Amino acid sequence: CTIRWLRPGLDCTNQETLATSYTTRFFLRIAVSDATALTGFVGFILSGNPATYPIGLIFTAIGFTIIAPTAANLARDQMRLSLGGCGRNLVADLRRGPSG
């Protein structure tokens, strides 16, 4: 359920909607990844066990690694867009930004 929620499709209607939908999805994923560090911190405060915070940080680091806008991740998103019939260039549209 959470994975599907974190994988909303990119809206390829025009340059602005594509850049906006990518940015929105990116920051949503950052927030969810940050939540694991916060959960680890709260677990440490409540339990007094110092191991809970680093565990949360590990999951946050993994999340950041998975969602980073690397060349491979951008190429994967571009492939999904192309397979879905979108002829837009994701990287070019992101460089122009939502108001470009």
Side-chain angles (χ1 to χ4, degrees):
C1 177
T2 303
I3 299 299
R4 184 167 286 156
W5 183 65
L6 291 175
R7 286 193 174 204
L10 297 174
D11 186 349
C12 190
T13 305
N14 57 45
Q15 182 270 325
E16 184 172 329
T17 58
L18 180 57
T20 300
S21 64
Y22 182 89
T23 304
T24 301
R25 183 184 72 174
F26 176 76
F27 283 109
L28 175 66
R29 289 174 173 181
I30 288 287
V32 170
S33 291
D34 276 343
T36 59
L38 182 59
T39 302
F41 179 70
V42 170
F44 165 66
I45 296 297
L46 294 177
S47 71
N49 182 352
T52 56
Y53 186 54
I55 290 171
L57 287 177
I58 289 169
F59 282 105
T60 297
I62 291 169
F64 284 176
T65 302
I66 291 170
I67 64 174
T70 61
N73 285 341
L74 290 169
R76 207 168 307 133
D77 283 335
Q78 182 65 59
M79 184 182 300
R80 285 188 194 113
L81 287 171
S82 297
L83 291 174
C86 176
R88 304 206 60 84
N89 184 312
L90 176 62
V91 173
D93 286 351
L94 289 174
R95 285 183 178 155
R96 280 185 286 238
S99 61

